[in-house]
Amino acid sequence: MIVSPLLQKISWIAHGFGTIADPRPANAVTVKQVHGVAILEPEAVPTSEPEDYDTVLTDRPGLSAAVKTADCQPILMVETEKKIVAAVHAGWKGTLLRAAQAAIRRIEEKGGKAENLVCALGPNMAGRCFEVEADVAGDFAKEFPGWPLLKRISETKWLLDVAQANRLQLKESGVADTRIDRIDLCTHCCPDLFWSYRRDGEKAGRMVNFIQILG
């Protein structure tokens, strides 16, 4: 497991961004992800994966909130005062729908504050590798006007920085830049460490990224 230096300073949680070699974490709650913004708040580890969710959020000790990735952006969040944690799955579709900000809103509904959050952006397909075409580039330019997310590389293709889009969403919601960590490893460029759907196609496995309140 790859750990965030910022999250590692919080003594009452365990966390990790998975690699191809890592087993599934104990008590992990994962979901059948659909590239949306719906949030599951489990009371126990379900016998099968709940469908149509992309974030797992909990304040229950012992449960591992977890998401699966193979190029998409995993985001781990900790509200340090209310002791709430969340794992967010944000591919380009979820990022465009502002999945990270949806999770923050739910944490605030539960009494937390964005200013108390510590967040870590895990390995994903980096902006230097992630090519998109005009439709996706246009959607991002419209949703996030003025944000430095896109670099045009041809008449029909752009590079999109999903991690930067999520970092700026966290900041827009009130998370201090000093409380946001970024594991700057590219899933597409590191075949010994990570699965990549863009690189491996249908044979790609999934990494499991988790956060747990100890107790």
Side-chain angles (χ1 to χ4, degrees), residues 2-157:
I2 295 168
V3 298
S4 154
L6 272 183
L7 294 187
Q8 204 169 25
K9 295 177 182 178
I10 303 172
S11 62
W12 49 269
I13 65 163
H15 79 283
F17 295 104
T19 71
I20 58 176
D22 290 313
R24 183 182 175 91
N27 297 325
V29 178
T30 56
V31 292
K32 290 185 178 179
Q33 299 162 182
V34 293
H35 300 280
V37 299
I39 299 166
L40 177 71
E41 298 180 49
E43 296 184 359
V45 179
T47 55
S48 61
E49 287 187 333
E51 298 185 10
D52 300 332
Y53 294 97
D54 282 88
T55 293
V56 181
L57 184 151
T58 187
D59 57 5
R60 292 177 176 267
L63 285 183
S64 293
V67 290
K68 300 171 291 183
T69 56
D71 284 337
C72 292
Q73 178 78 74
I75 308 169
L76 303 180
M77 300 181 174
V78 184
E79 209 288 1
T80 56
E81 298 301 315
K82 290 294 183 179
K83 292 193 172 182
I84 303 167
V85 300
V88 182
H89 166 252
W92 72 261
K93 293 180 181 179
T95 299
L96 189 62
L97 293 170
R98 298 177 179 257
Q101 291 183 323
I104 292 173
R105 285 195 300 272
R106 182 58 187 145
I107 289 170
E108 291 175 333
E109 289 170 357
K110 292 174 70 68
K113 296 180 179 180
E115 65 194 49
N116 295 333
L117 285 171
V118 180
C119 302
L121 305 170
N124 75 317
M125 191 169 176
R128 61 186 176 273
C129 292
F130 188 43
E131 294 185 7
V132 297
E133 297 188 354
D135 56 343
V136 174
D139 286 343
F140 271 83
K142 182 179 179 180
E143 181 66 26
F144 308 107
W147 289 21
L149 308 177
L150 294 159
K151 178 181 178 182
R152 192 166 192 165
I153 56 173
S154 76
E155 287 297 314
T156 60
K157 292 189 181 296

Side-chain angles (χ1 to χ4, degrees), residues 19-20 68-72 187 194-208:
T19 71
I20 58 176
K68 300 171 291 183
T69 56
D71 284 337
C72 292
T187 50
F194 306 118
W195 298 109
S196 167
Y197 189 82
R198 283 279 185 108
R199 185 191 65 231
D200 304 324
E202 294 293 336
K203 67 179 182 179
R206 297 293 186 271
M207 287 83 69
V208 178

